[in-house]
Each structure stands twice: as C-alpha cells, then as structure tokens.
Amino acid sequence: MPPGPDPETRSWASAAVRRFAAVTNLLVAARRFRIVGGDPRDAAALHGLLTGLGARPAAEHEPIDQLWCLGSPDDSTPVIEREAHRPRGATLIVIDAGRHLPAVDEDAFGPVVTARPGVLGVPMLSDDVFLVSTGRDPEDDPAADARLRWARRSMPVSRAVAAELRDGGLLRGTRIGVAMFLEPKTAVLSLLLRDAGAEVVVYAHADETDDAVAASLRAAGLTVHASSTASLPEQKALALAMLDTRPHILLDDGSHVIRLAHQERPDLLPTMLGAAEETTSGLRPLRVMASRGELGIPVIAVNDARTKTFFDNRYGTGQSTVFAVLDLVDGLPSGMHRVRPGPTPPVPDRRASGGPAVPVGRGAAVVAGFGHVGEGVALVLSALGFRVTVAETDPVRALQALFAGHAVAPLAEAVQDADLVVSATGVADTIDLRVLRSCADGAVVAVAGGADHEVALDDARAAGAELRPVGPKAERLVFPDAEGGPIVLDGGGCINITAAEGNPIEIMDLSFAAQLGAVRMLLERGDELERAVVPIDPAVDDATARVALAAFGARPVPPVHLAEHPADREPDARTRRFGDPA
C-alpha cells in the first residue's frame, strides 16, 4: 500500500478546501473537479481529500464545476480560458490553491468585480467564471447584498419551484411566516416567496440572525422581526409580533415558533393552513403533541423528505459542521487543544505501556449518534484523516457505523482518548455530566444538531464547573477537582449555524425546494389534511430531484413504469416458476 501524504501536505489540503468552502459557501460533494499543475504529491493529497468528500474527477471531455490550480499562472491560464467556453448559467469556480506562490494571474482576464466577499467575477472572460484564492482573506460585505445575489445564483431548484408557484397564482393573498436561521439562503427563500405572490414576514433567534441580511430584507420591503442583540424576552416579543401578523403558513426550523403559537396564540391556529418543519429535533416534540391530540394544525415533515434528509443532514451538515469546528480550532492558541487534523499514527501496543491507545495531539474523533447527520460528520472527519469512533445507542445504526469502517464504543469510554467530540443526535444531554468529566484535557467538544442543551453545561455548572474563555467562541470547562478540561465550542450551540454560514448553498437549495413543495401541499390541500405531522408528498421529492440532477449536470433517467394492465382486470400475481397456473 503506497504511503499517504505527509502531515504538512494533508494539513495544507485541508486548509485549502476549508477556505474554499468558507469563502464561497458552496458544496464539495457531487461536484466535478480538475487539478492543474503543482507538485504531484500536493495534487494527490488534494485529489484524495476531494474524492473522500464526495467530489469526482471530471472525465477528459466532461464539463467541470471546480478547477483547482496548484502550479503557475502559465499552467492555469490556458485551461481557464478553454473552460470559460461553456453553456450560459453553468458556473465554473477557479480556485487558486498555490501552496507557496499564486497559481492564477487574476489580471490575465481583464478587470475583476466582487461577486461575493472573497469571490471575484471576470465579466470580460465570462459571466459564469469566478476566481477564489485560498491564500487571501475575503473583503467585508457590510450590506450583504452581494451574498444574497451569490446565493440566489446557486439555487436553481428553488427558483424553478417558486416560478411554478408564481405562474399558478397560488400564493396571491397568502401570508407566510419564515422562522429560520437568517442568512443569505433563507433570505433568498423569503424573496422567492414574495416574488411568487406571498406576503412574507420573517423572524429569527438572536444567535441565528445576520443583521446585515436582515437589513437587506427590510430594504427589499419585507417585515423582519429579528436582531442579533435581542435578549430572551425581546426574542419572544419579536416572535409573537410575527405571529400577530396572523400568517396562514409557518415555515419553521426547530418548531419553536410553531409551539409558541400553540402556547401563546391558540386563537391563530383555526385561521392557519398549516406549517412545515425543517429539522429532526423540531419534529420530535410535534409528534409528541400530535400523539396527545394537542397539535392544532397540519405540519408537513419537510425534514423527512428524501431530498432533504439524504443530502442536507448528511452532506450539508457533515461538511459545514466539521469545517466550522476546524476553522474555530485554527484560531485557538497553539497547544491549547488536542486536535490535529492530520493522519493518525499507528496505535502503540497497550500491553507494552499500559498507556492510552492514541497519542496526544493526533486526529482521533468521536461522533455521538449515527443517523444521517452523524454519518455525514464521520464521513468528513475520515476524509480529513481523523480516526473515527462512533457512539450509538441504536444497535442497528451502530452496526452500520462498523460496516462503514468506524470503531464503535460507549460514549463515556470513547471520549477518554478523543481529541474531538461531536454530538450529532439532536437529543438533549447527549454529552452529559459523566461524558464531560471523561473527556481528556484539551479535547474539543462541539454540536452538529439543533437541540437545546445537547451538551449538559447547566449540570456541569451545578456541579461547580467553570467555563473560562480561551478564544473566539471557545471556553474551557474546568471542574473543581481538575486543573484542565475539555474546550466547548460556542456554548454547545449548533456550530455550523452559530459560528459559520450554515449548510452549503446547493444543499439548502434542495431543502428549500422541499419547503416550497410543502407550501404547495398546504395551499392545495391544507383544509383536508389531518391535524398531525404529515409526510411530504413523494411527488415533491421526485420533482425536486429531477431538477437538481439537471442542475448538477446529470441526465435523469426517465421513470420506469410497470407493464400496463387493462383497467378492468387485476394484475396477475400468480407464480409461473412451476409452470403455467391452472
């Protein structure tokens, strides 16, 4: 077996891919790429990481989505010029990933314009070619307008579904409340709904509000009840103010506003067509309410749509969570933590030393939970060189983790030697007091979900522990009987939202297309639906996937239909394995 890349090369490749994702908020998986120039060892490391994350190398004459430039401008310029000849609307991202010197001459293609902070357009070359440098810090964008335009460009599926709603006139006279993480992609969804004929009112929690994006929506004429500085009582007042506009449909993320309507504005429910819920953690309490007969409106389970769960939860949250964690860790002082995203060295023999199986400062990670989110987090960690152990209480999922190549162990045991611990359950108290006490000094703890109190920090404080700031959005948890302790990122919040820009644009394009499909269901059949958690129509998934396949450059296979039978005759299900039936 040939040796893998050295730690420095792997770390360079990791940093380059993470910088690309942070600057563009775009997806790595499913994208076609080509690498140009550079040291073959660097190219091999980058190729291995990209394919490990789900991207694929383009065939010789196949269009590409991402051109990774590693060598000199002499290598990259002719390739960029050749690839610029493409169908209108087919985006090409050119990434200058030169390890030591720039690999792209930005001046070679005429004047550049800022398409988004850190992303340059080259209009004289093509309206569809953009340049990204992994070695330069992005510019500030105080107005957020460029980020909204960039997001809209990369959301063709949602645009197509919204256009159908607009052309059908279904949304005229409908008021929709959007209660989600307020960032560019959600802003685009809100504007698409407005352009399709709806009156749109927006709410967001303080820690999920980008004030610049909120200002852009207000400038576009939308009512926005959100502020990043709002206190808890102020957030409740803002949410109630949104509900007091009496929306006919609610689009929620976490079901907090749906539940608030039941608790504080029950008179609103009979006037509503229903709601749609985006998350696993948000559906759990709604299903409890439905089982008790307490759910007063139909709620479409957008989270359970295949085009949401299979992609948003796995590929989107996997990439955005792990990248956000490592970006935060990069900002911590050297020696403060154990995380080293390089290849894990051979495990020493316990019998010889009796010591830990994993040396301090190497890439050993624990993922709590192996649903779609945990699966995605583990996939990305593995691609980056971490050795992953999964802690999963469901034996079938634990077996699935084992078959995926991960170790499986109880959580409190697994964290003892871990450098990084990620909770991916969406269940409160997953990282409980016992687990926190078991974590190694300097281990980093983060959450990739949406449940409140997924890390039991209140219990830790009650036990006398202190949270001591050690860096941006990072605190060391120190118990009274210890000198050190684990580092908890952003108070145990959903790290890809609270410390980054959320899931990649293409992923949220799929999720929001499903949301728009749920809106259509409620408009067309809301009065007929049971006051319960309602599965999304499978036709929504099929339509969303077919548009997405085309957007990703694939040709969808026509649906296969079973042989037709005469309308007046039932299909013959008898066996002919033993001859013709009598």
Side-chain angles (χ1 to χ4, degrees):
M1 180 177 178
D6 62 85
E8 286 189 5
T9 300
R10 187 187 288 271
S11 294
W12 160 79
S14 167
V17 174
R18 288 189 283 120
R19 174 56 67 94
F20 155 77
V23 167
T24 64
N25 196 213
L26 293 178
L27 183 66
V28 176
R31 288 308 190 183
R32 299 162 296 187
F33 71 90
R34 186 167 295 137
I35 300 172
V36 177
D39 188 313
R41 292 168 295 185
D42 293 347
L46 181 60
H47 184 283
L49 178 53
L50 292 172
T51 55
L53 292 170
R56 63 183 180 88
E60 184 62 31
H61 301 293
E62 186 179 18
I64 61 175
D65 306 306
Q66 299 171 3
L67 181 66
W68 290 81
C69 303
L70 307 188
S72 70
D74 291 341
D75 299 322
S76 62
T77 298
V79 180
I80 295 169
E81 290 176 337
R82 183 177 70 245
E83 292 295 337
H85 298 287
R86 54 186 40 236
R88 185 169 180 81
T91 300
L92 170 65
I93 308 294
V94 178
I95 304 102
D96 181 349
R99 185 167 178 181
H100 304 293
L101 293 171
V104 175
D105 179 4
E106 296 173 356
D107 297 329
F109 312 107
V112 296
V113 296
T114 299
R116 168 190 156 104
V119 181
L120 299 177
V122 283
M124 291 188 66
L125 180 65
S126 169
D127 290 336
D128 299 308
V129 176
F130 300 91
L131 308 179
V132 173
S133 172
T134 61
R136 183 180 58 217
D137 290 331
E139 306 83 2
D140 289 333
D141 178 31
D145 293 340
R147 288 185 286 146
L148 266 67
R149 289 193 297 270
W150 179 257
R152 185 184 183 101
R153 175 188 181 87
S154 301
M155 296 174 65
V157 187
S158 293
R159 293 201 314 265
V161 178
E164 292 179 1
L165 290 172
R166 180 198 63 216
D167 295 344
L170 289 172
L171 280 170
R172 293 193 194 104
T174 303
R175 186 177 301 110
I176 297 181
V178 177
M180 297 180 179
F181 172 35
L182 185 49
E183 45 79 45
K185 301 177 288 291
T186 312
V188 171
L189 171 66
S190 301
L191 292 170
L192 288 174
L193 286 164
R194 189 273 310 270
D195 294 344
E199 178 186 345
V200 180
V201 185
V202 177
Y203 165 78
H205 308 307
D207 61 345
E208 298 177 1
T209 296
D210 183 325
D211 288 323
V213 173
S216 290
L217 286 182
R218 292 188 183 103
L222 271 64
T223 301
V224 180
H225 299 281
S227 169
S228 67
T229 61
S231 65
L232 193 60
E234 289 169 339
Q235 290 177 69
K236 182 177 180 180
L238 289 168
L240 289 173
M242 190 264 267
L243 290 174
D244 287 340
T245 65
R246 305 191 72 79
H248 303 108
I249 294 173
L250 272 176
L251 306 184
D252 207 348
D253 184 328
S255 75
H256 298 290
V257 178
I258 295 173
R259 286 178 280 166
L260 184 66
H262 283 73
Q263 294 162 205
E264 301 279 346
R265 295 293 188 269
D267 61 307
L268 172 63
L269 304 178
T271 70
M272 293 181 64
L273 292 170
E277 171 52 39
E278 175 85 3
T279 65
T280 305
S281 55
L283 286 176
R284 286 194 186 104
L286 295 179
R287 287 193 164 106
V288 171
M289 292 172 64
S291 69
R292 296 171 178 169
E294 298 172 355
L295 197 59
I297 54 175
V299 180
I300 309 298
V302 170
N303 177 77
D304 295 350
R306 291 183 300 159
T307 47
K308 194 278 183 186
T309 298
F310 291 175
F311 304 96
D312 183 314
N313 295 27
R314 186 184 188 199
Y315 297 102
T317 307
Q319 174 181 309
S320 61
T321 293
V322 176
F323 286 11
V325 167
L326 296 183
D327 288 346
L328 280 180
V329 167
D330 282 348
L332 297 178
S334 178
M336 176 71 69
H337 57 84
R338 293 169 53 107
V339 176
R340 297 290 184 275
T344 303
V347 178
D349 192 337
R350 278 184 178 272
R351 294 170 297 178
S353 64
V358 183
V360 171
R362 296 294 181 176
V366 170
V367 178
F370 204 69
H372 291 295
V373 170
E375 188 179 1
V377 169
L379 181 150
V380 175
L381 287 169
S382 296
L384 289 169
F386 286 86
R387 188 179 68 235
V388 176
T389 299
V390 171
E392 172 58 76
T393 57
D394 182 324
V396 176
R397 288 180 176 174
L399 185 63
Q400 182 186 3
L402 202 66
F403 272 56
H406 309 304
V408 174
L411 184 56
E413 175 185 318
V415 301
Q416 295 176 20
D417 297 325
D419 308 315
L420 174 61
V421 180
V422 181
S423 179
T425 64
V427 175
D429 296 325
T430 295
I431 310 296
D432 61 18
L433 191 58
R434 179 186 173 210
V435 172
L436 287 170
R437 286 186 177 276
S438 299
C439 286
D441 179 28
V444 173
V445 177
V447 171
D452 296 331
H453 310 297
E454 203 158 327
V455 180
L457 294 181
D458 289 345
D459 290 347
R461 291 189 189 96
E466 296 180 14
L467 283 168
R468 301 174 184 172
V470 294
K473 296 183 181 291
E475 298 170 294
R476 187 183 297 278
L477 184 68
V478 182
F479 287 95
D481 54 350
E483 294 184 3
I487 295 172
V488 180
L489 296 184
D490 209 18
C494 185
I495 200 67
N496 65 330
I497 290 178
T498 60
E501 207 171 355
N503 282 346
I505 297 170
E506 305 98 318
I507 288 294
M508 297 313 299
D509 185 29
L510 292 175
S511 294
F512 289 163
Q515 285 276 12
L516 292 167
V519 168
R520 178 188 285 274
M521 285 180 62
L522 291 168
L523 290 169
E524 294 178 339
R525 295 189 279 133
D527 291 340
E528 306 167 8
L529 295 174
E530 185 181 357
R531 273 43 185 164
V533 175
V534 180
I536 199 162
D537 189 334
V540 172
D541 267 334
D542 291 347
T544 300
R546 291 187 180 281
V547 176
L549 280 167
F552 277 89
R555 289 176 295 177
V557 177
V560 177
H561 298 288
L562 296 176
E564 296 291 336
H565 292 274
D568 60 348
R569 192 173 71 199
E570 288 293 322
D572 188 354
R574 295 175 295 175
T575 179
R576 284 176 167 75
R577 183 64 179 82
F578 306 103
D580 289 335

